[in-house]
Amino acid sequence: MHHVIIGNGIAGVQAAEAIRHLDPESEISMIAAETFPPYCRPMISLLLEGAVTPDRLPIRPGDFYESRSIRAFPGVRVTAIDSGRARLSLDTGETLAYDRLLIATGADPRAIRAEGKTLAGIFSMRTVSDVQKMLDMLSSCRSALVLGGGLVGFKAAYSLLKRGMAVTMLIASGYPLSMQLDPVSGGIIRDTLVRHGLHVETGVEVTAFEGSGRVQRAILNDGRTLACDLVVVGKGVRPATGFLAGSGIDVDLGIRVDEHLQTTISGVFAAGDVAELTDVVRKRPWINAIWPEAAAQGWIAGLNMAGRSASYQGSLGRNVIRMFDLDIMTAGIVQPQEAAGTTQVLTHLDGNGPIYRRFVLQEDRLVGFTLINRIEKGGMLVSLIQRGLPLDPEEKRLLLL
């Protein structure tokens, strides 16, 4: 039996270990576009910030592949899958046959439409290589422009502020993290970042970049020009499925899989940020692109690839973020319009902390929350969402304490 895993992120690593856990003999091959050993992707913003060094990023020992008898293909991309013949085409010109295949390719940054977007000094922030290139250039940079106020844009802006750079963020909404936060908590985040030097521009977009080989300024759609010698594009990500055309594998938001992480093609599995699974509170297909879910999905996919039947019960989106003097935690549905039926929103704000609590309930069941500071009960709240039990009035009152 030959197991082939595309991707060496946490989903791919967990799958390889699950297979080897059950099957010490079968052949395992791992193909990865990156040449860096398996690493903790959520920590790359800490590398940019200067809080960690590159040696802190690997998630497995240096002999990970050898010790588990895994054949590694670093720096190689899969260009096509022939699911009928069970073969992969690689950008090296080679083909590779498989018996079981896992697609754990993660997500790619969303591209932008702007003239001059290929100038030096313009980056995405998806890989450790992206961050290392930024660090190589940082000593010659004075002002940074961050496009997008989502999680990537927010982490980039915060990291560059910590590096002492002048940072401008362009966002469509009035505050960063608008997909994760409501206006009150988003305003707390925005005001804190501004107090530490962030300049925020709303309702404008970049139409072009200019410079002599390297970016020097951005042209906005209102005609203004912003000086910048480093740009981070944080306009979100999309599942890395571009090589699946003609494969026969069904792709919607991401790769569609069943509860065993198997795609519409027998023997082909998907896990992590590229896979579309049921969200436990929305009760419909969704992509919760977070590290813990990718790890769990990879392990379960690996078990199934090795022949043991294992089910995945659905995902729950959640995030924990620390910035300056704020601890922020969100989970599930945070925007009430997402909830159906009888929806109730409970909030408490103590502006002196600040301490903020916001709970979204649907038919007396907790389906989402936002906490700013005093987040120590977050794990219990996540469990409440996952269990889906109705809360009585006294239990609701206790949420706010």
Side-chain angles (χ1 to χ4, degrees), residues 308-385:
R308 177 177 292 179
S309 180
S311 298
Y312 181 74
Q313 301 305 312
S315 66
L316 174 66
R318 53 200 185 276
N319 275 298
V320 177
I321 305 167
R322 171 165 290 179
M323 61 159 251
F324 297 116
D325 56 350
L326 299 182
D327 290 325
I328 306 145
M329 183 171 184
T330 66
I333 295 174
V334 295
Q335 306 287 11
Q337 62 266 28
E338 293 183 65
T342 305
T343 299
Q344 183 179 15
V345 178
L346 307 175
T347 62
H348 168 78
L349 172 64
D350 176 352
N352 294 324
I355 296 170
Y356 181 62
R357 298 175 176 280
R358 174 186 172 90
F359 301 96
V360 179
L361 297 103
Q362 182 179 320
E363 296 174 347
D364 293 327
R365 292 172 171 81
L366 185 65
V367 295
F369 66 85
T370 301
L371 305 177
I372 294 184
N373 290 333
R374 290 182 56 193
I375 66 171
E376 62 275 7
K377 293 182 180 177
M380 178 271 290
L381 295 170
V382 166
S383 176
L384 271 181
I385 294 176

Side-chain angles (χ1 to χ4, degrees), residues 75-89:
V76 174
R77 290 184 180 275
V78 175
T79 57
I81 296 176
D82 182 342
S83 60
R85 300 173 62 201
R87 290 182 183 275
L88 307 178
S89 297

Side-chain angles (χ1 to χ4, degrees), residues 269-331:
F269 297 76
D273 298 0
V274 76
E276 174 186 314
L277 299 117
T278 301
D279 182 286
V280 296
V281 292
R282 294 178 175 87
K283 309 296 184 189
R284 58 190 172 96
W286 200 261
I287 297 177
N288 287 311
I290 58 174
W291 181 268
E293 297 291 355
Q297 292 166 23
W299 182 262
I300 290 173
L303 294 179
N304 284 297
M305 291 170 73
R308 177 177 292 179
S309 180
S311 298
Y312 181 74
Q313 301 305 312
S315 66
L316 174 66
R318 53 200 185 276
N319 275 298
V320 177
I321 305 167
R322 171 165 290 179
M323 61 159 251
F324 297 116
D325 56 350
L326 299 182
D327 290 325
I328 306 145
M329 183 171 184
T330 66

Side-chain angles (χ1 to χ4, degrees), residues 194-205:
V194 169
R195 193 165 63 250
H196 285 83
L198 180 70
H199 179 65
V200 177
E201 293 273 357
T202 62
V204 289
E205 295 181 354

